[in-house]
Amino acid sequence: MSDLGTTLNPPQPDNPPNAEGNLMTNDGALPPQQIAARYFEMWNTGDVSIAVQILHANWIDHAHPEVSGPHGVQQAIEQIRAAQPDLRFQIDAILGDDDLIAVAGAVSQTAQHSPTRLVWLIGMKDGQMAEMWTYRDTSK
């Protein structure tokens, strides 16, 4: 298990967004797995500048339907990180490709609390995250 801040490489300056605003690599758009990893990195770092590139305009998190669209996520991250600065997402695995991917990991609110195991299912559309469902491990 690793902290996303040390495992992800941000896009290089020579990899500009394409016409739709999606981040690009030298051979095309970022793979869905990397887009999902960038989403959780955004939560861990508080850098919300990438939200409009990785989140579809009609973004919906079914666990938090009150937060919609990239700008809603930006505001939520800023508010939640202000209230819980130690909140951290940890990614253990990202599976799938194309239109549906699964992310297995955990979230911890403080260093004193045990992480909560979660699985996120993410629907992709037009090279961006369009919707997400969150499942919590209730076996404990």
Side-chain angles (χ1 to χ4, degrees):
M1 294 189 219
S2 61
D3 182 13
L4 284 176
T6 60
T7 60
L8 297 177
N9 296 319
Q12 300 303 312
D14 60 341
N15 295 336
N18 64 13
E20 290 81 36
N22 302 338
L23 293 176
M24 302 287 289
T25 61
N26 290 334
D27 60 347
L30 287 178
Q33 300 87 344
Q34 192 169 357
I35 292 170
R38 294 299 305 269
Y39 173 80
F40 292 103
E41 178 181 316
M42 191 171 54
W43 278 93
N44 285 344
T45 65
D47 179 1
V48 296
S49 63
I50 194 172
V52 295
Q53 284 108 12
I54 65 170
L55 298 174
H56 195 273
N58 296 322
W59 164 259
I60 184 77
D61 179 344
H62 294 281
H64 303 281
E66 71 280 5
V67 178
S68 62
H71 298 292
V73 172
Q74 288 174 318
Q75 291 174 344
I77 289 172
E78 290 166 355
Q79 292 170 352
I80 291 170
R81 285 188 51 81
Q84 299 178 346
D86 293 332
L87 180 73
R88 293 291 177 267
F89 290 88
Q90 175 181 305
I91 302 305
D92 298 327
I94 301 176
L95 309 168
D97 55 20
D98 297 328
D99 294 338
L100 183 63
I101 58 174
V103 178
V107 63
S108 57
Q109 294 181 3
T110 68
Q112 293 78 29
H113 288 95
S114 297
T116 301
R117 305 287 312 148
L118 298 168
V119 172
W120 297 273
L121 296 180
I122 301 169
M124 304 292 292
K125 182 177 181 183
D126 301 327
Q128 295 175 303
M129 294 174 57
E131 57 186 328
M132 182 166 70
W133 297 264
T134 303
Y135 300 91
R136 183 171 56 100
D137 180 358
T138 59
S139 63
K140 294 181 182 180

